[in-house]
Amino acid sequence: MASDAPREAQAEVQAEVQARVTAVWRRESTRLVAALLRLTRDLELAEDLAQDALVAALEQWPGDGIPANPGAWLMQVAKRRAIDTFRRNATLRDRTAELARSLPTGEEAQVPDLDATLDHVEDDVLRLILLTCHPLLSPESRAALTLRLVAGLTTAEIARAFLARESAVGQRITRAKKTLAEHRVDLEVPVGQERTARLDDVMSVVYLIFNEGYTATSGEDWTRPDLCHEGIRLARMLAVLEPRHPDTHGLQALLELQASRLPARLDADGAPVLLEAQDRVRWDQLLLRHGLAALDRATAVAREREESIGPITAQAHIAACHARARTAEETDWPRIARWYDALSAAAPGPVVEVNRAVAHGRAHGPDAGLAVLDALAPGALAGSHLLPSVRGDLLARAGRHREAAGAFSAAISLTANEGERSVLRRRRAESLAADVGNAPSRTTSR
């Protein structure tokens, strides 16, 4: 037994280092790929170089320790790989020299910060999003490629987000990269009408990135705050880039208002806390004020341009209704239901309808919400836990606890996120307990 102790200790150290490498990769990979794309102007090569740097980190860091500036370390390794690649290509000697000159000398601990090494890193990320939202690609391909490159999601995670087969999403991403390479697309940030034409897609994928952080599609963690903050950062950049577009301010407002709840979404034990049970004192008041101010700007710009409120800004108004309620009981559900009606008319879809059912269920009673769900087309959102979980909530509020438990069971089987499962298991247990407790009286009433 004693002889196994060193091996166990070594295994623990390696596991800890691997976890830290994973965390660093999640934080740095987007900026790394974006910066390498600007240097190489080759998306496939940029991804390969970034992956090579990750492999090097996995090989060296367990023995050498994690460097003081892991992002800069990864960038330096990737640049060296780039130089090796370019040296094998006689037509790219000038680029090799440029990269070689940019490499620092000395020990890795003296490597300057990544932000200082690269110019306009934030613009690189935005350029990457604008590239992946290129009109040459289908809307599905744009979203999948962006989630892969910018949000760092795996193919399996993207497939779950879109309720699609993993093989289909993988093929979609491969075809998208091939299309961009074959057409040698311009990597510069588009301007004027070209940029405006891509703006809706860019905002959609930024919202997707945020949503993946707000409720992760898989894994142990219910939320991924790093993705939420990345979404907010990108939304703020878009609002500065396109100040005359009301929805850019609406997107910023929506993300900041929703993110203000992040501190209250988990309790002290790390368990998920639903909106109505959250301690609103823990909401981030600064983000909340920023969100409301951005919403005011969105409304003002729309009024100046004599435009109607867009779908994203409508969602921001809904988030603002929650933000302004000091308690769950003070929530203006009739107003939220009206906003969802407007959103349903402007941007119809099953996800909107499910959320509209929640709002009408709170505003006008659970039967009103169930009626909205019953109007959905058969098979809507098949494979998603969203619809059965909302149906379970409405059934429980209607006192139909046994049916609610069944709906929660169906939802549990459809989610891959452990935090989401824990919430649904708790709701199912509450429904079963209520059903048992109500059994005598229900028999009597019959």
Side-chain angles (χ1 to χ4, degrees):
M1 293 293 288
S3 61
D4 291 335
R7 283 199 295 270
E8 291 175 358
Q10 187 178 13
E12 287 181 8
V13 169
Q14 287 180 338
E16 182 182 347
V17 170
Q18 183 140 359
R20 292 183 65 188
V21 171
T22 301
V24 169
W25 178 250
R26 178 179 283 184
R27 188 176 66 244
E28 302 288 352
S29 61
T30 299
R31 294 195 303 165
L32 195 59
V33 171
L36 290 167
L37 175 62
R38 182 165 58 84
L39 292 171
T40 65
R41 307 186 73 79
D42 184 324
L43 182 57
E44 200 80 44
L45 177 58
E47 273 198 293
D48 289 345
L49 293 171
Q51 289 290 335
D52 285 349
L54 172 63
V55 171
L58 288 170
E59 291 173 348
Q60 295 184 36
W61 291 0
D64 300 346
I66 295 179
N69 191 334
W73 191 98
L74 289 167
M75 187 66 206
Q76 187 176 5
V77 170
K79 277 187 173 182
R80 284 180 174 147
R81 297 288 195 278
I83 289 171
D84 291 342
T85 302
F86 292 152
R87 278 176 176 158
R88 288 193 292 268
N89 188 339
T91 63
L92 295 174
R93 290 189 185 284
D94 290 342
R95 193 171 296 169
T96 302
E98 180 184 343
L99 283 168
R101 282 195 298 273
S102 72
L103 272 177
T105 58
E107 298 299 323
E108 287 159 5
Q110 297 172 334
V111 171
D113 184 79
L114 178 59
D115 286 330
T117 305
L118 303 170
D119 293 332
H120 312 299
V121 170
E122 292 185 342
D123 287 346
D124 284 338
V125 176
L126 183 59
R127 183 180 290 109
L128 183 61
I129 296 177
L130 286 161
L131 170 68
T132 55
C133 290
H134 198 282
L136 278 170
L137 306 179
S138 68
E140 296 81 7
S141 297
R142 295 170 203 161
L145 189 59
T146 306
L147 288 175
R148 174 68 172 272
L149 295 180
V150 181
L153 301 191
T154 65
T155 304
E157 289 171 333
I158 298 168
R160 277 194 288 272
F162 287 110
L163 305 177
R165 286 183 293 110
E166 187 175 338
S167 59
V169 171
Q171 291 169 3
R172 195 180 296 165
I173 292 171
T174 301
R175 281 198 302 270
K177 287 193 286 190
K178 188 177 179 183
T179 299
L180 293 176
E182 287 176 349
H183 288 79
R184 298 178 181 277
V185 299
D186 186 358
L187 298 178
E188 297 305 316
V189 175
V191 297
Q193 291 297 321
E194 185 180 354
R195 187 166 70 199
T196 302
R198 298 188 198 182
L199 201 53
D200 285 344
D201 285 327
V202 172
M203 289 192 292
S204 295
V205 295
V206 169
Y207 193 22
L208 280 172
I209 291 168
F210 178 88
N211 273 338
E212 179 59 26
Y214 197 70
T215 305
T217 53
S218 64
E220 298 294 323
D221 298 328
W222 195 29
T223 62
R224 290 181 57 183
D226 57 328
L227 286 181
C228 287
H229 293 305
E230 178 68 1
I232 291 172
R233 187 182 69 82
L234 294 169
R236 287 173 177 168
M237 289 173 60
L238 285 174
V240 171
L241 197 64
E242 291 284 344
R244 298 293 297 160
H245 195 299
D247 260 351
T248 61
H249 302 290
L251 177 65
Q252 180 185 344
L254 174 60
L255 303 197
E256 289 182 329
L257 289 170
Q258 289 190 325
S260 70
R261 304 177 207 147
L262 281 173
R265 295 195 81 218
L266 296 173
D267 65 16
D269 298 324
V273 181
L274 298 180
L275 175 60
E276 292 180 352
Q278 289 173 10
D279 178 1
R280 298 181 181 222
V281 174
R282 297 182 60 199
W283 286 2
D284 187 321
Q285 296 300 310
L286 183 60
L287 270 179
L288 197 151
R289 287 196 297 274
H290 283 175
L292 292 175
L295 183 57
D296 287 342
R297 287 196 295 276
T299 306
V301 172
R303 189 182 301 121
E304 286 173 13
R305 295 171 63 91
E306 298 182 347
E307 295 179 1
S308 57
I309 297 295
I312 290 178
T313 304
Q315 293 179 70
H317 276 286
I318 292 167
C321 289
H322 290 296
R324 292 184 176 112
R326 290 174 299 178
T327 66
E329 292 72 23
E330 289 184 11
T331 305
D332 190 347
W333 283 109
R335 185 178 179 83
I336 292 174
R338 289 195 296 275
W339 273 116
Y340 268 115
D341 290 343
L343 184 60
S344 176
V351 173
V352 171
E353 290 305 296
V354 170
N355 286 307
R356 194 165 76 89
V358 174
H360 277 262
R362 298 291 194 284
H364 311 299
D367 288 343
L370 288 167
V372 175
L373 291 186
D374 291 341
L376 278 170
L381 293 177
S384 168
H385 72 286
L386 183 59
L387 197 154
S389 63
V390 169
R391 185 180 293 281
D393 175 75
L394 291 167
L395 288 169
R397 291 174 186 276
R400 297 159 62 179
H401 300 296
R402 182 163 297 184
E403 295 172 78
F408 287 132
S409 292
I412 290 168
S413 70
L414 293 172
T415 180
N417 181 273
E418 191 51 40
E420 199 89 49
R421 286 181 188 225
S422 71
V423 171
L424 293 166
R425 288 194 194 103
R426 187 173 70 231
R427 296 297 309 274
R428 180 177 61 183
E430 291 169 354
S431 294
L432 290 172
D435 183 62
V436 172
N438 286 343
S441 59
R442 189 175 62 237
T443 303
T444 302
S445 66
R446 287 179 180 174

